[in-house]
Amino acid sequence: MRTPVTALPPLREVIARHGLAASKALGQNFLLDEQLLDRIAAVPGDLDGQDVLEIGPGPGGLTRALLRAGANVTAIERDRRCLPALAELGEAFPGQLKVIEGDALEIPLASVMPGPCHIASNLPYNVGTALLIGWLSGQDWPPQWRSLTLMFQREVADRIVAAPDSDAYGRLAILSQWRCQARLAMKVHRSAFTPPPKVMSAIVHLTPADMPDGIRAARLEAITAAAFGQRRKMLRQSLKGLPGALTALEAVSIDPTRRAETLSVEEFLSVARAMETT
């Protein structure tokens, strides 16, 4: 039987009772709006009976929304101040919540989630991009995760879903889109957080798609790192230090005087595929 909203104390009360304050050093900003948290938990779809990994739950705002949705949640939290509040939440949802104290950057996904899972998190701002790139970069595909529902600073979210020929388009967009469907699911105003951050936020939702044939993730990462490392320069200049890249451009009829931000994801894939065969 699921625990109704009214059976849980308000998040503000939980935070006050445990003396919690968001840590700037840990990139914390707490979300307290229960309706907003339920909307975020609904982004992946029906989670009833599904395994979900949450990074940095803090006092458990999104955690309780995921649990209300029927998910079995494994939460990784490095701030031990928050563990008593999470323990209380585990008591309210018997058998649905497992809390692991540790740094998510140092814990392999497979070691805490033995099977397929969804990942849903209000990510700490200071580690969010690094975690995302780790989840996107494995050569094994499809990945262990079924979907990613992640909170980022709006600027980072825009970079993940950006289209070619835009200022936000770059390496992160290509790594996110070459074998995933990526969309901006929800904008979140800074006033929704305690304390309010200086920037706006957004929820990004990613689901795995088919992996293109003949391409290695490491190869694509190398090309995009070189191309966007000098994004204002022509490709013939930015890629000249990457063996085989200029030959690959010629092989797929891409003008070397173009700049990286003008190439579509598909064009980057064609260059990566050509480099594998030259």
Side-chain angles (χ1 to χ4, degrees):
M1 182 176 178
R2 298 187 191 178
T3 302
V5 177
T6 53
L8 295 171
L11 280 164
R12 289 188 185 278
E13 178 184 314
V14 172
I15 290 171
R17 179 156 41 84
H18 290 281
L20 299 176
S23 166
K24 186 175 182 180
L26 295 177
Q28 292 175 332
N29 296 93
F30 298 153
L31 270 178
L32 306 182
D33 186 327
E34 299 274 355
Q35 291 186 335
L36 174 60
L37 290 163
D38 284 336
R39 287 174 56 205
I40 295 171
V43 169
D46 185 7
L47 292 178
D48 195 14
Q50 298 288 308
D51 290 330
V52 176
L53 175 67
E54 183 185 7
I55 307 299
L62 179 58
T63 317
R64 62 169 64 188
L66 294 168
L67 294 169
R68 279 197 296 265
N72 299 309
V73 179
T74 297
I76 300 177
E77 178 57 69
R78 64 176 295 187
D79 185 356
R80 61 181 51 188
R81 300 176 307 151
C82 295
L83 299 183
L86 294 171
E88 290 179 5
L89 196 53
E91 293 174 1
F93 293 87
Q96 279 185 247
L97 177 62
K98 176 182 179 182
V99 179
I100 298 171
E101 182 183 359
D103 186 340
L105 287 172
E106 300 174 357
I107 301 175
L109 176 59
S111 70
V112 295
M113 304 296 290
C117 66
H118 297 272
I119 299 177
S121 292
N122 171 16
L123 289 173
Y125 283 161
N126 55 357
V127 298
T129 303
L131 285 167
L132 175 64
I133 290 174
W135 292 325
L136 292 173
S137 298
Q139 182 61 27
D140 290 338
W141 204 261
Q144 184 180 344
W145 47 270
R146 298 181 186 274
S147 72
L148 303 175
T149 304
L150 306 172
M151 176 89 73
F152 290 100
Q153 296 179 38
R154 177 64 192 275
E155 179 184 355
V156 177
D158 287 342
R159 287 167 52 204
I160 292 169
V161 302
D165 263 332
S166 65
D167 289 340
Y169 184 69
R171 175 173 174 253
L172 192 55
I174 295 163
L175 294 181
S176 299
Q177 297 175 34
W178 76 284
R179 53 183 179 177
C180 285
Q181 299 293 327
R183 67 182 179 93
L184 193 67
M186 188 189 309
K187 300 173 185 177
V188 183
H189 197 274
R190 56 186 296 273
S191 62
F193 294 89
T194 300
K198 295 181 180 179
V199 296
M200 298 299 195
S201 299
I203 300 289
V204 174
H205 183 62
L206 298 99
T207 53
D210 291 337
M211 179 166 170
D213 293 332
I215 297 171
R216 292 184 297 118
R219 175 75 73 185
L220 185 63
E221 288 185 62
I223 295 168
T224 54
F228 288 101
Q230 304 179 73
R231 65 180 296 142
R232 298 306 175 193
K233 294 186 177 181
M234 297 178 186
L235 291 170
R236 66 185 180 193
Q237 183 68 26
S238 60
L239 294 181
K240 69 179 183 179
L242 192 62
L246 297 184
T247 301
L249 285 179
E250 183 179 1
V252 296
S253 301
I254 291 178
D255 184 348
T257 65
R258 290 172 63 184
R259 291 178 172 81
E261 68 260 26
T262 70
L263 270 66
S264 67
V265 174
E266 290 72 21
E267 286 177 309
F268 272 106
L269 295 180
S270 70
V271 175
R273 188 177 290 110
M275 288 183 68
E276 296 291 351
T277 58
T278 56

